[in-house]
Amino acid sequence: MGLLNFTREPVPEAVSGDMHNLNQLSAQQFSSLTEVLFRFLTEPKEVERFLTQLSDFATMNKISLGPLKNIVKSILLVPSGLSEEKATYFAEQWKAHSPTLTRLAVGQTLMINQLIDMEWKFGVTAGSSELEKVGSIFLQLKLVIKKGSQMENIYLELTLPQFYSFLHEMERIKSSLESFS
């Protein structure tokens, strides 16, 4: 069947068997299974509904649920080995659902450390043991970050050039995020 793209290892025998079983499904059965699969991928929090639909599909098509779950895992991990007709249909469905899948992936990736609040203060150094630091401008930031379900305060003190560099990076990030929306 070939090699896995990322590890360059041979595709496991179980996956080859799953692809063989998947190719035995009629076009209607494959279409129904693909619909169930993509509904789950676009609504990943609906695990119970997915398992119920998978069980119903297995019952309707007289397929054991265990092997059907293995087939679903295999098609997600290694969608190669499908017949030409089924591979084309799966690719069309992937293309149709790709905006939603991309948005979900980006949302999960970017929500790891969410900025909740930010407080700032500007200041001028009035006195210092180093003469060249007297009169320099600084910025103190307090960032409130949400890491999972925990809140964390992060304190920063930046010189004026560091602040402008930080501001530039934040504006660049903002424009990048807006391009995903």
Side-chain angles (χ1 to χ4, degrees), residues 38-121:
F38 278 102
R39 187 173 299 129
F40 172 66
L41 289 175
T42 56
E43 299 172 19
K45 293 182 179 171
E46 298 291 334
V47 176
E48 289 299 318
R49 182 178 70 185
F50 172 66
L51 292 175
T52 301
Q53 289 175 335
L54 212 54
S55 179
D56 293 345
F57 179 87
T59 303
M60 261 182 12
N61 294 289
K62 298 180 177 83
I63 301 172
S64 298
L65 187 57
L68 182 60
K69 286 181 180 179
N70 290 336
I71 287 171
V72 168
K73 282 187 235 174
S74 293
I75 195 171
L76 287 174
L77 294 174
V78 189
S80 64
L82 292 173
S83 66
E84 185 74 29
E85 174 187 316
K86 289 184 171 113
T88 301
Y89 181 78
F90 188 82
E92 288 169 0
Q93 291 301 306
W94 189 269
K95 188 174 182 180
H97 290 89
S98 68
T100 304
L101 295 171
T102 302
R103 183 178 42 77
L104 286 168
V106 167
Q108 289 176 352
T109 303
L110 297 177
M111 293 301 285
I112 293 172
N113 294 331
Q114 184 179 11
L115 179 63
I116 302 296
D117 192 20
M118 182 168 81
E119 295 176 18
W120 54 274
K121 296 178 194 172

Side-chain angles (χ1 to χ4, degrees), residues 6 13 16 47 66 72 79 100 109 138 146-148 151 164 177:
F6 296 106
E13 288 296 321
S16 299
V47 176
V72 168
T100 304
T109 303
F138 63 89
K146 183 176 182 182
K147 289 187 173 185
M151 300 289 201
Y164 281 122
L177 288 174

